[in-house]
Amino acid sequence: MGPDSDSASNPNGGWGGRAQGLFVKAAVLIGGAVLLKRLTKSKTRWDHARIVADSLSGEKFSKEQASRDPDNFFNIRMLTCPAAEMVDGSKLLYLEQAFWRTPQKPFRQRFYMVKPCPKELKCDVEVSSYAIREVEEYKNFCDRPRDQRPLPEEVIGDIGEHLTTIHLRRCDRGKRCLYEGSTPPGGFPNSWQNGATYSTSELAVLKNNEIHTWDRGFDDDGNQVWGVKAGPYEFKPAPSSSYSDMFSPLNFPPQQFFEKRIEGSFVLQE
């Protein structure tokens, strides 16, 4: 059979086959372009807020940092979980911090409200912290079954005094963090402890849900009067625990050493 036999029997066969092939290639290219556009589509303001809220949530520890630098850092458990959603879509999270060996006795309890930054500000996500009115009712909130927690409408009613607001921006490419930011210059009024008149907070959201926080109090002269001076606390998601961890020296410092360091390192529940 000669090379032109198909064309002879079907004069349009060669062109039809080429046209069909071109159509398939065009469809693949268009489909690929649409998929690429979807994958690279810029995130909305609410997408950024959701990412930050999800990254803050969960059980995290500063164990690795305390192991590296026990003179400046404790092994702290930070536990955060969703508590309610506001009418405007803002996420309200409950946060508590406790020493690893006594998780049932948190020394810090807060509400975090996470939402997009106001459009007039050059930031992406706004994280505000609030005191809790009926604080005793929220101890171990995240550890309880949902039917044993205050209802969302009760949670919203228990939002207390506004404490701080942190403005987060997306980190530049190549940095370890995803979002980072701090309180505005001058911080927020704060007279909780040790003669402080204002406080500042810094927050960084890293990959793998790692969180870095740095809260400090200052007096009128700008002297730091509470908070860690060595740098931010580094909280990493909880690893699989082992029974031997319960007896780690990191979790049982000498009593007199513990009492001496605790004052000024943290603002206990005010």
Side-chain angles (χ1 to χ4, degrees), residues 108 110 129 161-164 183 186-201 215-220 223 225-227 266-268 270:
R108 175 176 288 173
R110 296 282 187 272
S129 63
E161 176 190 1
H162 171 248
L163 303 174
T164 61
T183 46
F188 285 84
N190 180 308
S191 56
W192 299 332
Q193 186 180 10
N194 293 3
T197 57
Y198 70 95
S199 67
T200 63
S201 296
D215 300 321
R216 292 174 287 174
F218 299 86
D219 63 19
D220 282 330
N223 300 309
V225 293
W226 60 256
F266 291 95
V267 176
L268 302 186
E270 59 274 352

Tab-separated table of all heavy atoms in Angstrom, residues 108 110 129 161-164 183 186-201 215-220 223 225-227 266-268 270:
chain	number	residue	atom	x	y	z
A	108	ARG	N	-1.547	31.755	82.051
A	108	ARG	CA	-2.003	32.795	81.133
A	108	ARG	C	-3.169	32.265	80.320
A	108	ARG	O	-3.100	31.178	79.744
A	108	ARG	CB	-0.873	33.232	80.202
A	108	ARG	CG	-1.318	34.234	79.143
A	108	ARG	CD	-0.155	34.711	78.303
A	108	ARG	NE	0.718	35.591	79.059
A	108	ARG	CZ	1.887	36.048	78.619
A	108	ARG	NH1	2.322	35.676	77.440
A	108	ARG	NH2	2.616	36.845	79.368
A	110	ARG	N	-6.132	33.751	77.423
A	110	ARG	CA	-6.489	34.875	76.565
A	110	ARG	C	-7.475	34.441	75.481
A	110	ARG	O	-7.571	33.264	75.145
A	110	ARG	CB	-5.239	35.416	75.839
A	110	ARG	CG	-4.166	36.004	76.728
A	110	ARG	CD	-4.543	37.401	77.187
A	110	ARG	NE	-3.417	38.003	77.896
A	110	ARG	CZ	-3.194	37.870	79.184
A	110	ARG	NH1	-4.028	37.145	79.920
A	110	ARG	NH2	-2.171	38.462	79.756
A	129	SER	N	-5.474	40.499	71.230
A	129	SER	CA	-5.665	39.687	72.429
A	129	SER	C	-6.600	40.404	73.394
A	129	SER	O	-6.586	41.639	73.497
A	129	SER	CB	-4.327	39.392	73.113
A	129	SER	OG	-3.715	40.577	73.568
A	161	GLU	N	-11.430	42.962	78.451
A	161	GLU	CA	-10.633	44.126	78.076
A	161	GLU	C	-9.696	43.823	76.905
A	161	GLU	O	-9.049	42.780	76.860
A	161	GLU	CB	-9.801	44.569	79.284
A	161	GLU	CG	-8.854	45.719	79.020
A	161	GLU	CD	-7.897	45.948	80.184
A	161	GLU	OE1	-7.972	45.177	81.175
A	161	GLU	OE2	-7.076	46.870	80.087
A	162	HIS	N	-9.642	44.758	75.969
A	162	HIS	CA	-8.677	44.645	74.871
A	162	HIS	C	-7.282	44.899	75.425
A	162	HIS	O	-7.046	45.879	76.131
A	162	HIS	CB	-8.999	45.669	73.778
A	162	HIS	CG	-7.946	45.762	72.726
A	162	HIS	ND1	-7.150	46.880	72.574
A	162	HIS	CD2	-7.531	44.873	71.791
A	162	HIS	CE1	-6.307	46.686	71.574
A	162	HIS	NE2	-6.516	45.478	71.089
A	163	LEU	N	-6.351	44.002	75.122
A	163	LEU	CA	-5.008	44.092	75.677
A	163	LEU	C	-3.981	44.582	74.656
A	163	LEU	O	-3.282	45.559	74.893
A	163	LEU	CB	-4.589	42.723	76.238
A	163	LEU	CG	-5.526	42.131	77.296
A	163	LEU	CD1	-5.093	40.729	77.672
A	163	LEU	CD2	-5.582	43.035	78.524
A	164	THR	N	-3.864	43.891	73.539
A	164	THR	CA	-2.897	44.286	72.519
A	164	THR	C	-3.451	43.950	71.132
A	164	THR	O	-4.368	43.137	70.999
A	164	THR	CB	-1.555	43.545	72.666
A	164	THR	OG1	-1.780	42.135	72.515
A	164	THR	CG2	-0.911	43.821	74.018
A	183	THR	N	3.248	44.830	67.830
A	183	THR	CA	2.349	45.901	68.228
A	183	THR	C	2.855	47.211	67.627
A	183	THR	O	4.025	47.327	67.264
A	183	THR	CB	2.299	46.014	69.761
A	183	THR	OG1	3.636	45.959	70.275
A	183	THR	CG2	1.511	44.879	70.380
A	186	GLY	N	5.357	52.104	70.509
A	186	GLY	CA	4.817	52.577	71.780
A	186	GLY	C	4.000	51.546	72.513
A	186	GLY	O	3.680	51.716	73.698
A	187	GLY	N	3.656	50.441	71.844
A	187	GLY	CA	2.939	49.356	72.496
A	187	GLY	C	1.567	49.767	72.990
A	187	GLY	O	0.916	50.650	72.440
A	188	PHE	N	1.135	49.095	74.079
A	188	PHE	CA	-0.173	49.353	74.666
A	188	PHE	C	-0.032	49.584	76.164
A	188	PHE	O	0.859	49.003	76.806
A	188	PHE	CB	-1.114	48.166	74.417
A	188	PHE	CG	-1.623	48.088	73.011
A	188	PHE	CD1	-0.876	47.478	72.022
A	188	PHE	CD2	-2.847	48.651	72.668
A	188	PHE	CE1	-1.334	47.415	70.712
A	188	PHE	CE2	-3.314	48.592	71.365
A	188	PHE	CZ	-2.562	47.979	70.387
A	189	PRO	N	-0.890	50.417	76.757
A	189	PRO	CA	-0.818	50.641	78.208
A	189	PRO	C	-0.885	49.329	78.972
A	189	PRO	O	-1.679	48.444	78.636
A	189	PRO	CB	-2.048	51.514	78.487
A	189	PRO	CG	-2.353	52.179	77.183
A	189	PRO	CD	-1.979	51.183	76.126
A	190	ASN	N	-0.053	49.216	79.991
A	190	ASN	CA	0.015	47.971	80.749
A	190	ASN	C	0.633	48.260	82.107
A	190	ASN	O	1.778	48.713	82.184
A	190	ASN	CB	0.863	46.955	79.979
A	190	ASN	CG	0.981	45.623	80.691
A	190	ASN	OD1	1.342	45.573	81.856
A	190	ASN	ND2	0.697	44.548	79.989
A	191	SER	N	-0.116	48.020	83.165
A	191	SER	CA	0.390	48.270	84.518
A	191	SER	C	0.237	47.037	85.392
A	191	SER	O	-0.002	47.121	86.590
A	191	SER	CB	-0.365	49.447	85.156
A	191	SER	OG	-1.769	49.194	85.161
A	192	TRP	N	0.385	45.839	84.771
A	192	TRP	CA	0.101	44.607	85.487
A	192	TRP	C	1.137	44.260	86.545
A	192	TRP	O	0.833	43.677	87.567
A	192	TRP	CB	0.026	43.435	84.496
A	192	TRP	CG	-1.043	43.575	83.470
A	192	TRP	CD1	-2.213	44.257	83.591
A	192	TRP	CD2	-1.035	43.022	82.158
A	192	TRP	NE1	-2.945	44.167	82.427
A	192	TRP	CE2	-2.247	43.406	81.537
A	192	TRP	CE3	-0.136	42.227	81.455
A	192	TRP	CZ2	-2.568	43.031	80.242
A	192	TRP	CZ3	-0.465	41.849	80.165
A	192	TRP	CH2	-1.661	42.251	79.568
A	193	GLN	N	2.409	44.574	86.307
A	193	GLN	CA	3.445	43.990	87.151
A	193	GLN	C	4.728	44.812	87.098
A	193	GLN	O	5.075	45.424	86.092
A	193	GLN	CB	3.743	42.560	86.677
A	193	GLN	CG	4.702	41.787	87.575
A	193	GLN	CD	4.950	40.384	87.059
A	193	GLN	OE1	4.554	40.038	85.956
A	193	GLN	NE2	5.607	39.565	87.850
A	194	ASN	N	5.435	44.825	88.229
A	194	ASN	CA	6.811	45.346	88.324
A	194	ASN	C	6.962	46.791	87.856
A	194	ASN	O	8.019	47.179	87.353
A	194	ASN	CB	7.778	44.461	87.520
A	194	ASN	CG	7.933	43.078	88.122
A	194	ASN	OD1	7.279	42.753	89.111
A	194	ASN	ND2	8.772	42.266	87.530
A	195	GLY	N	5.934	47.601	88.007
A	195	GLY	CA	6.048	49.008	87.649
A	195	GLY	C	5.971	49.292	86.167
A	195	GLY	O	6.327	50.392	85.722
A	196	ALA	N	5.495	48.340	85.383
A	196	ALA	CA	5.370	48.566	83.943
A	196	ALA	C	4.282	49.592	83.653
A	196	ALA	O	3.290	49.692	84.381
A	196	ALA	CB	5.047	47.263	83.231
A	197	THR	N	4.485	50.356	82.588
A	197	THR	CA	3.452	51.299	82.139
A	197	THR	C	2.963	50.969	80.733
A	197	THR	O	1.902	51.439	80.333
A	197	THR	CB	3.976	52.745	82.167
A	197	THR	OG1	5.162	52.831	81.355
A	197	THR	CG2	4.292	53.176	83.586
A	198	TYR	N	3.750	50.188	79.987
A	198	TYR	CA	3.298	49.763	78.661
A	198	TYR	C	3.964	48.442	78.308
A	198	TYR	O	4.981	48.049	78.900
A	198	TYR	CB	3.582	50.825	77.603
A	198	TYR	CG	5.044	51.015	77.258
A	198	TYR	CD1	5.632	50.359	76.171
A	198	TYR	CD2	5.843	51.882	78.003
A	198	TYR	CE1	6.965	50.546	75.843
A	198	TYR	CE2	7.179	52.085	77.681
A	198	TYR	CZ	7.741	51.406	76.598
A	198	TYR	OH	9.065	51.594	76.280
A	199	SER	N	3.370	47.739	77.343
A	199	SER	CA	3.915	46.448	76.922
A	199	SER	C	3.968	46.382	75.406
A	199	SER	O	3.245	47.096	74.705
A	199	SER	CB	3.069	45.285	77.459
A	199	SER	OG	1.787	45.295	76.849
A	200	THR	N	4.848	45.533	74.910
A	200	THR	CA	4.946	45.284	73.470
A	200	THR	C	4.868	43.781	73.227
A	200	THR	O	5.206	42.983	74.104
A	200	THR	CB	6.269	45.808	72.890
A	200	THR	OG1	7.370	45.097	73.485
A	200	THR	CG2	6.428	47.293	73.150
A	201	SER	N	4.420	43.414	72.051
A	201	SER	CA	4.341	42.002	71.682
A	201	SER	C	4.827	41.828	70.249
A	201	SER	O	4.560	42.683	69.384
A	201	SER	CB	2.904	41.477	71.800
A	201	SER	OG	2.452	41.508	73.129
A	215	ASP	N	6.672	38.800	74.485
A	215	ASP	CA	5.902	39.797	75.221
A	215	ASP	C	6.802	40.427	76.277
A	215	ASP	O	7.454	39.718	77.051
A	215	ASP	CB	4.684	39.161	75.900
A	215	ASP	CG	3.739	38.504	74.895
A	215	ASP	OD1	3.544	39.081	73.819
A	215	ASP	OD2	3.231	37.413	75.192
A	216	ARG	N	6.803	41.753	76.320
A	216	ARG	CA	7.656	42.448	77.280
A	216	ARG	C	6.951	43.666	77.856
A	216	ARG	O	6.136	44.290	77.178
A	216	ARG	CB	8.959	42.904	76.602
A	216	ARG	CG	9.880	41.773	76.197
A	216	ARG	CD	11.080	42.275	75.417
A	216	ARG	NE	10.708	42.687	74.066
A	216	ARG	CZ	11.559	43.274	73.215
A	216	ARG	NH1	12.791	43.552	73.607
A	216	ARG	NH2	11.161	43.593	72.000
A	217	GLY	N	7.286	43.982	79.122
A	217	GLY	CA	6.750	45.168	79.770
A	217	GLY	C	7.863	46.168	80.059
A	217	GLY	O	8.989	45.775	80.389
A	218	PHE	N	7.525	47.460	79.950
A	218	PHE	CA	8.519	48.515	80.133
A	218	PHE	C	7.967	49.593	81.061
A	218	PHE	O	6.747	49.806	81.136
A	218	PHE	CB	8.883	49.153	78.791
A	218	PHE	CG	9.490	48.194	77.794
A	218	PHE	CD1	8.682	47.431	76.965
A	218	PHE	CD2	10.863	48.050	77.705
A	218	PHE	CE1	9.227	46.548	76.048
A	218	PHE	CE2	11.426	47.161	76.800
A	218	PHE	CZ	10.616	46.408	75.965
A	219	ASP	N	8.889	50.287	81.750
A	219	ASP	CA	8.463	51.407	82.586
A	219	ASP	C	8.545	52.700	81.784
A	219	ASP	O	8.856	52.698	80.587
A	219	ASP	CB	9.291	51.476	83.872
A	219	ASP	CG	10.777	51.724	83.611
A	219	ASP	OD1	11.134	52.191	82.505
A	219	ASP	OD2	11.595	51.448	84.519
A	220	ASP	N	8.273	53.821	82.468
A	220	ASP	CA	8.238	55.116	81.777
A	220	ASP	C	9.575	55.495	81.156
A	220	ASP	O	9.627	56.270	80.195
A	220	ASP	CB	7.801	56.218	82.748
A	220	ASP	CG	6.298	56.210	82.988
A	220	ASP	OD1	5.567	55.807	82.065
A	220	ASP	OD2	5.867	56.589	84.086
A	223	ASN	N	12.809	51.073	80.467
A	223	ASN	CA	13.503	49.900	81.006
A	223	ASN	C	12.577	48.693	80.988
A	223	ASN	O	11.415	48.794	81.400
A	223	ASN	CB	13.967	50.171	82.447
A	223	ASN	CG	14.916	51.351	82.531
A	223	ASN	OD1	15.896	51.416	81.798
A	223	ASN	ND2	14.617	52.290	83.415
A	225	VAL	N	10.895	45.628	82.414
A	225	VAL	CA	10.657	45.224	83.796
A	225	VAL	C	10.004	43.857	83.906
A	225	VAL	O	9.907	43.300	84.994
A	225	VAL	CB	9.819	46.286	84.545
A	225	VAL	CG1	10.605	47.579	84.704
A	225	VAL	CG2	8.492	46.548	83.827
A	226	TRP	N	9.492	43.320	82.834
A	226	TRP	CA	9.070	41.915	82.825
A	226	TRP	C	9.183	41.379	81.401
A	226	TRP	O	9.252	42.122	80.430
A	226	TRP	CB	7.677	41.699	83.403
A	226	TRP	CG	6.495	42.366	82.764
A	226	TRP	CD1	5.820	43.453	83.218
A	226	TRP	CD2	5.810	41.951	81.556
A	226	TRP	NE1	4.779	43.764	82.383
A	226	TRP	CE2	4.741	42.855	81.353
A	226	TRP	CE3	5.983	40.928	80.649
A	226	TRP	CZ2	3.872	42.757	80.270
A	226	TRP	CZ3	5.114	40.825	79.559
A	226	TRP	CH2	4.074	41.728	79.390
A	227	GLY	N	9.185	40.054	81.335
A	227	GLY	CA	9.345	39.397	80.048
A	227	GLY	C	10.766	38.918	79.840
A	227	GLY	O	11.716	39.432	80.433
A	266	PHE	N	7.361	36.106	83.386
A	266	PHE	CA	6.018	36.042	82.817
A	266	PHE	C	5.111	36.978	83.594
A	266	PHE	O	5.335	37.257	84.766
A	266	PHE	CB	5.432	34.631	82.910
A	266	PHE	CG	6.106	33.632	82.033
A	266	PHE	CD1	7.114	32.842	82.531
A	266	PHE	CD2	5.731	33.498	80.714
A	266	PHE	CE1	7.746	31.910	81.719
A	266	PHE	CE2	6.348	32.576	79.900
A	266	PHE	CZ	7.348	31.780	80.412
A	267	VAL	N	4.085	37.419	82.917
A	267	VAL	CA	2.996	38.079	83.615
A	267	VAL	C	1.996	36.988	83.937
A	267	VAL	O	1.366	36.428	83.041
A	267	VAL	CB	2.339	39.165	82.734
A	267	VAL	CG1	1.148	39.753	83.459
A	267	VAL	CG2	3.337	40.253	82.416
A	268	LEU	N	1.890	36.646	85.205
A	268	LEU	CA	0.938	35.618	85.595
A	268	LEU	C	-0.473	36.168	85.460
A	268	LEU	O	-0.690	37.346	85.217
A	268	LEU	CB	1.211	35.157	87.023
A	268	LEU	CG	2.622	34.595	87.251
A	268	LEU	CD1	2.734	34.040	88.657
A	268	LEU	CD2	2.960	33.526	86.236
A	270	GLU	N	-3.442	37.991	85.481
A	270	GLU	CA	-3.730	39.220	86.184
A	270	GLU	C	-5.218	39.382	86.446
A	270	GLU	O	-6.020	38.716	85.872
A	270	GLU	CB	-3.235	40.446	85.376
A	270	GLU	CG	-3.849	40.556	84.000
A	270	GLU	CD	-3.086	39.756	82.982
A	270	GLU	OE1	-2.021	39.256	83.298
A	270	GLU	OE2	-3.580	39.615	81.847
